[in-house]
Amino acid sequence: MLNLFRNKAAYMGTAVMALLCLVVVAISVRVSLTIIQRKSQIVTVKPQESKKEFKHIKLVNVGKLKEQSFIFNGMEEEAKAFAENRENVFVPFDTILDKLGVDYRYFEPDDALECRFNQQKMVVWMGQGSFRYGERTITLNTAPVAAKGHILVPLELLSGIDGFSMDYQEEAGRVFVNYYGDYKKGLDGYKLLKQVESQAFVTDITGRQLKWSNMTTDVNLPESYEMSPTGSRCIIRTGEGVYMLKGGSGSISFLADIPPGASWSADGKYLYWIDRDKETSFLYDISADAVKELGDYYFRLKAEADNEYLVYGADRLLDYGEYGDVKRVALTNKAYEGNYTFVESEKGLLFKGSVSYSPDRSRMLYHIKGNGYYVANADGSENYFLGDCIEAEWVNNSEIFIRSYEGDTYTVSDNGRDRAEVSDLQRQVGRTEKGDVFYTGRGFLWCESQGVKKQLLPLNFPCDFVYAVSAEGPYLIVSNEMDQVFIGLEDGTVYKLLGYNSLLAGIDFKNRAFADCKTLGISPDRRYAVLLVKKEDLVSLVSVDVVGLKGIQEKDRAGAVKEIVLNLSPQEALDGRLKTLWISGRRLMVFTDRKGWIVELGENPRLFSWSEGEGTQIAGILP
C-alpha cells in the first residue's frame, strides 16, 4: 500500500510537474509571440507598481475597430491606426517608439509598456485609465489596449506629451501624428500675426505670449494686413490708423501720417497711396522716414486712352527713382502685371508709356507706335533706336533679344550698337533676390552675376523658369512644354524631379520678375530644395537633399528625395494663401491662414503642426 501510495504520489507529482511545464511553455510561447509582435523588444517579467481602479474608463471593443491609414511625421507607415468612431481613435505606439529609436519593454503580467521618453520614465497600462509620465500620472478617458499586433493608445495619450501633434480625417480614414520634441528651438524672435474675431494680435510662435494688440475690433483679413514683398515688414490697418511691424527687432510703430489705403511698393522700400479728393499721390520712404508728394500721375493715366497696359488698374507703385532734378514714377496693378512709367524733370515731361526694365532697373526698353523700339537709361537719357521688330525682350542687364519681321533673331547690346545673330530663342528665365539673372541661349542655362556672365548647365529641353537663391545653385528648372521640374547642380548635372502640373500652383511665365514661387524653395545654405505638390487630395512637401544627390545615378536618387505628406488639401492650401518661411538650413515653416507646420528636413523628417481655433486666422509670420 505504501509503495502504491508512493507510486500514485509520484504519478501525481509528475502530472503536476508536466502541467506546470505546459503552463511555462504556454507563457513562453505567448511571451515569444509578444516579442515578435513588439519587433524583438526585450520583454522582462517582473512585478510592477499597483494599478489604480477607474470606474468611468472606456474599454474599446476591439472587434469594432476599423483600419485607418497612419501617417507619422509625414510618412505613411505600413502599420495601421484604428478607429471605432471619432472619439475613439488609436495609433500603434510601439511603431512610433520604433521610428523615434526609443527602446521599450512590455511587461506581460502587468500588461504594461515601459520606456524612457524625453528623459522621463513612461509607463502605459493596458485597459487602465491613466499613464505615468515622469512624476505625473495623467488621466485618460479611453484605455490603451494590446491588440491587432500592436500597443494601441488613444490620441488623447499623445496630447499629454509636449511635441506631439495629431489630426484625424474621418471621411478619408487617415490619422496623422507628428512628433518634434524641440520644435520651439530657435523660434524666440519669430512673431505670429493673427486675427481673432476682428481684432489684430501679435504673439510669439506658440500663440501664448501676447506682444501687441490693437484697441478696435474692425480688422478684416486679408485687407487689414499686408506683408512687404521682402517679407521683413508688415502693415496692419486698424480703426486707429496704420501700424508697422518690423522683423528682427519686432518693433511696432504707429504711422500717424499714413492713411489705411497705403500699400507696399514692389521693392518694399515705400508705402504708396492716392488722395482722390486732392487728385494727387504720396509715398512714404521707409529708410528716410519721410512722406513725399509724387503728383497726379494716377489721374493722368486714368484719363488717357492708352491705359490698355493696366487693365486691372494702376493703384500700386512699381518703382520710384530720383536722378538730380529728374524723377521716375512707374505705376502697376495689384498683380504687378504691366506698368506705365512717367519720367519728368523740373522743365516738364521727358517720357511716358509702358516700359520693360532691365533686371537691375538701370535701363528701359520701350516701344513707340508707328516707329519701333528704343532703349534708354532709367532717367530717360541716352536714347537709342533699336528698330522696328516683332519682339524685343531683355535677356540680361546688357543684352536684348530681337525677332525681326523677316524672322531673323539676334541679340543687341543695351546701347543698341552691337548685334549678334543667334539661331535659338534667348530669354530671361529667373532672378535671385541678390540681382543674379538667369537666361537661356545656345543650348545652355547662363547666369549674369555682378556683370559677369557664366555658362551653367547644358539644356536639351525648353526652359521656362528657373528658381534659385544664388548664382552657385542649385537650380530648380521648370519646363512647361515638357511638363517637368528638374534640379540642376553646380557640377552641371541635371535630374528630373516631378511633373510641372503636379505642383500645387502654376507659375506666371509671362511675369517672371514677380512669379509666384510659393511652391518652390531652396534653403539659405543651399543644402535642400523643396517643392509643394498635389498628391490626390493632399499636399506633399517634396524635399531634395542636394548633397545626397551629387554624384549618384538618377535611378539611385530615392534616398535623397523625401515626400512629406501634410494634413492639408490642395483647395485648403490655395484658399488659405499657403506660404513658406525658412528658419535655418534644414528647418522651415509652412502655413495657411488656419494651419501651420514646423518641418525639420533630413533622413528622418520631424514635424510639429497646429490648427487655429474657430474665429482665428494667421495673417503672417515675421522672422
Side-chain angles (χ1 to χ4, degrees), residues 141-418:
N141 293 314
T142 305
V145 60
K148 307 291 187 180
H150 292 280
I151 301 297
L152 300 180
V153 301
L155 289 182
E156 63 171 320
L157 183 146
L158 302 182
S159 66
I161 305 172
D162 193 31
F164 274 107
S165 52
M166 58 224 70
D167 185 25
Y168 175 45
Q169 297 181 349
E170 185 174 12
E171 290 186 7
R174 286 189 291 249
V175 181
F176 293 83
V177 173
N178 301 316
Y179 179 73
Y180 190 173
D182 53 348
Y183 72 93
K184 299 174 188 175
K185 179 180 65 179
L187 297 177
D188 292 344
Y190 283 77
K191 291 158 285 293
L192 185 63
L193 285 65
K194 302 170 69 172
Q195 174 186 321
V196 182
E197 299 299 341
S198 57
Q199 191 170 358
F201 288 85
V202 178
T203 71
D204 70 331
I205 200 66
T206 67
R208 296 168 185 166
Q209 296 180 17
L210 179 65
K211 306 283 186 180
W212 173 86
S213 67
N214 70 313
M215 301 298 293
T216 57
T217 56
D218 54 3
V219 174
N220 182 37
L221 276 173
E223 293 82 6
S224 293
Y225 294 83
E226 188 176 342
M227 300 288 291
S228 67
T230 60
S232 60
R233 295 182 176 93
C234 178
I235 56 173
I236 306 172
R237 305 178 180 100
T238 73
E240 306 107 66
V242 177
Y243 292 85
M244 181 182 291
L245 173 63
K246 296 180 182 179
S249 65
S251 62
I252 298 177
S253 54
F254 179 67
L255 305 179
D257 299 325
I258 311 301
S263 60
W264 291 102
S265 63
D267 56 11
K269 294 180 180 179
Y270 309 102
L271 291 174
Y272 169 78
W273 66 95
I274 299 164
D275 188 326
R276 286 174 168 77
D277 294 332
K278 298 180 180 179
E279 294 197 351
T280 188
S281 59
F282 297 85
L283 66 75
Y284 169 62
D285 187 330
I286 294 170
S287 61
D289 189 24
V291 174
K292 186 176 299 184
E293 183 174 359
L294 292 183
D296 60 349
Y297 300 107
Y298 170 80
F299 300 94
R300 285 156 59 184
L301 175 57
K302 193 175 180 181
E304 293 175 357
D306 52 1
N307 189 11
E308 60 189 89
Y309 302 101
L310 296 169
V311 294
Y312 299 111
D315 56 354
R316 297 293 176 105
L317 182 66
L318 175 68
D319 192 40
Y320 175 75
E322 292 183 357
Y323 314 89
D325 66 340
V326 175
K327 66 179 178 181
R328 185 184 78 254
V329 178
L331 302 180
T332 186
N333 55 38
K334 291 181 180 179
Y336 298 109
E337 295 175 345
N339 72 82
Y340 201 90
T341 297
F342 295 88
V343 181
E344 287 186 333
S345 70
E346 294 178 353
K347 297 178 181 179
L349 182 69
L350 300 177
F351 169 82
K352 67 175 182 177
S354 179
V355 306
S356 172
Y357 285 100
S358 62
D360 62 3
R361 300 283 179 90
S362 66
R363 306 279 283 165
M364 301 186 301
L365 174 67
Y366 60 94
H367 182 262
I368 296 179
K369 291 180 181 179
N371 199 342
Y373 282 91
Y374 290 79
V375 64
N377 287 332
D379 62 359
S381 64
E382 297 185 25
N383 278 275
Y384 294 102
F385 179 59
L386 300 180
D388 199 8
C389 56
I390 296 175
E391 179 185 0
E393 184 178 309
W394 288 102
V395 177
N396 48 54
N397 285 307
S398 59
E399 292 180 294
I400 300 166
F401 176 78
I402 299 288
R403 189 190 302 275
S404 70
Y405 285 105
E406 293 75 28
D408 299 325
T409 53
Y410 49 91
T411 57
V412 182
S413 62
D414 62 340
N415 59 15
R417 295 171 183 168
D418 302 322

